[in-house]
Amino acid sequence: MDSNRTEKNGENCEGSIYVNNPHLESMKEDILYHFNLGTASHDLPAMFGDVKFVCVGGSPWRMKSFIEYIAGELGLANPEAEYPNICEGTDRYAMYKIGPVLSVSHGMGIPSISIMLHELIKLLYHSRCSNVTVVRIGTSGGLGLQPGTVVVTKQSVDATFLPRLEQVVLGKSVVRSTELDAELAEELLQCGKELAEFETVIANTMCTLDFYEGQARLDGAFCSYTEEDKQKYLASAYAAGVRNIEMESSVFAAMCKLSNLRAAVVCVTLLDRQKGDQLTSPHEVLHGYQQRPQILVGHYIKKKLNLFKKK
């Protein structure tokens, strides 16, 4: 196992997946435990070597819905297809594939998506994939936006509005950049304009460690601040360019950047947090909102594959 094969003259080969772990080289087998896959038990290059687009999202049902949707958009749909869960045998994550598109669930919050990304990055690496684009699609709380607005993340910022991910490794603080691919974000914004079905904007996304107090909600089991405190904090976030709030974008951006993966975050807003904390829209309205990121990303994938065919 050559963990340096992505390097050439001391630099990453363009488009290759990069892992920076010398210990992988001495391993006889790499078991991707939470995917129920492994380098000895599965022919990963045969299974995943053609992957060019990976879409990740919180829930298994949403990612199965996305693979069914994209199969239809790419003309690969089969009325009798079951789209089996590749990770069957584990209850941690779900994975589906059609053509060059991989769809993977990541659960909720930084710890859950971090575990998934470690194994996804190694999966793509072991499969010898190249020029892969990874997009997180999901839902979020909005700031100053109409519910249903799709936000393409410009920068993922922490709860103090700084574009960074701070982790503790061996008892020491490690700070990593949360920079995302600006060109990819602009391409996705252009796709939104072409669709013209819903509002799409580029803005900063705040990634928090908690759904309740960490997002200044007033409806958790504990709350030590006032409505006025909440509004002041959200106004500060808005002034920092934040237009939506979620719980995964910082580690997603950081790990994709370290791995030489083009990455974007596309989330729909379900409500304006400056106007309330709880969802009051009917289920069918919320379901329609949740389909918007997959419609946008589906349009992008179709567009890119058509461009590939012309070359």
Side-chain angles (χ1 to χ4, degrees):
M1 189 183 303
D2 181 7
S3 64
N4 295 314
R5 71 163 181 260
T6 59
E7 297 184 331
K8 182 178 181 181
N9 297 325
E11 297 181 358
N12 294 356
C13 295
E14 185 178 358
S16 297
I17 311 302
Y18 181 60
V19 295
N20 185 16
N21 182 358
H23 303 290
L24 292 180
E25 200 170 345
S26 61
M27 292 169 57
K28 292 182 179 180
E29 178 184 7
D30 189 2
I31 299 173
L32 308 179
Y33 174 73
H34 301 90
F35 285 167
N36 198 32
L37 297 170
T39 54
S41 56
H42 296 80
D43 187 346
L44 298 181
M47 294 173 68
F48 302 103
D50 62 339
V51 169
K52 295 297 180 185
F53 304 95
V54 181
C55 290
V56 303
S59 67
W61 73 261
R62 188 182 299 158
M63 301 325 294
K64 184 174 184 180
S65 172
F66 175 77
I67 211 69
E68 293 170 346
Y69 172 78
I70 200 65
E73 290 295 292
L74 300 182
L76 301 174
N78 181 343
E80 299 179 1
E82 292 294 329
Y83 303 105
N85 177 11
I86 298 170
C87 296
E88 188 177 7
T90 175
D91 60 357
R92 296 300 181 185
Y93 305 107
M95 179 186 296
Y96 306 94
K97 184 179 183 296
I98 189 75
V101 182
L102 193 64
S103 178
V104 191
S105 69
H106 58 60
M108 182 182 289
I110 286 175
S112 183
I113 191 174
S114 172
I115 295 167
M116 187 281 291
L117 286 171
H118 273 284
E119 297 188 15
L120 173 65
I121 290 163
K122 292 196 296 176
L123 173 69
L124 297 173
Y125 172 78
H126 292 315
S127 301
R128 300 185 179 274
C129 297
S130 61
N131 298 307
V132 178
T133 298
V134 187
V135 183
R136 168 171 138 66
I137 58 176
T139 59
S140 62
L143 282 184
L145 297 176
Q146 283 292 112
T149 302
V150 173
V151 179
V152 179
T153 301
K154 179 180 180 180
Q155 282 188 319
S156 174
V157 301
D158 64 16
T160 66
F161 320 134
L162 294 176
R164 65 179 187 176
L165 170 70
E166 184 173 3
Q167 294 179 279
V168 176
V169 180
L170 300 182
K172 298 179 181 179
S173 177
V174 176
V175 177
R176 290 172 172 158
S177 168
T178 55
E179 179 183 358
L180 288 158
D181 191 300
E183 182 181 1
L184 176 56
E186 289 293 339
E187 290 176 10
L188 288 163
L189 178 64
Q190 180 59 36
C191 287
K193 293 178 179 178
E194 292 167 3
L195 287 167
E197 296 179 20
F198 42 79
E199 183 73 18
T200 304
V201 301
I202 289 182
N204 291 346
T205 296
M206 184 167 70
C207 182
T208 68
L209 302 178
D210 168 56
F211 185 80
Y212 286 98
E213 292 177 288
Q215 296 187 11
R217 278 184 158 83
L218 301 175
D219 59 344
F222 310 101
C223 184
S224 60
Y225 44 85
T226 66
E227 169 75 26
E228 184 180 359
D229 294 332
K230 166 196 165 178
Q231 293 298 341
K232 184 177 179 180
Y233 177 70
L234 294 182
S236 296
Y238 187 91
V242 173
R243 295 296 179 270
N244 67 328
I245 307 171
E246 46 86 88
M247 297 174 59
E248 293 85 20
S249 60
S250 63
V251 73
F252 173 83
M255 293 182 70
C256 287
K257 181 176 175 61
L258 288 171
S259 306
N260 197 34
L261 288 164
R262 288 190 91 202
V265 178
V266 179
C267 289
V268 67
T269 61
L270 300 183
L271 76 168
D272 183 348
R273 286 293 321 290
Q274 292 177 309
K275 297 181 179 179
D277 294 332
Q278 298 198 335
L279 294 173
T280 57
S281 298
H283 174 76
E284 59 272 18
V285 172
L286 294 175
H287 180 71
Y289 289 165
Q290 291 177 29
Q291 291 179 315
R292 292 180 177 184
Q294 75 176 22
I295 292 171
L296 178 60
V297 175
H299 182 78
Y300 168 79
I301 292 173
K302 283 175 60 180
K303 187 176 179 181
K304 298 303 287 187
L305 288 175
N306 286 335
L307 288 175
F308 293 157
K309 291 176 183 178
K310 292 176 182 178
K311 291 184 179 179

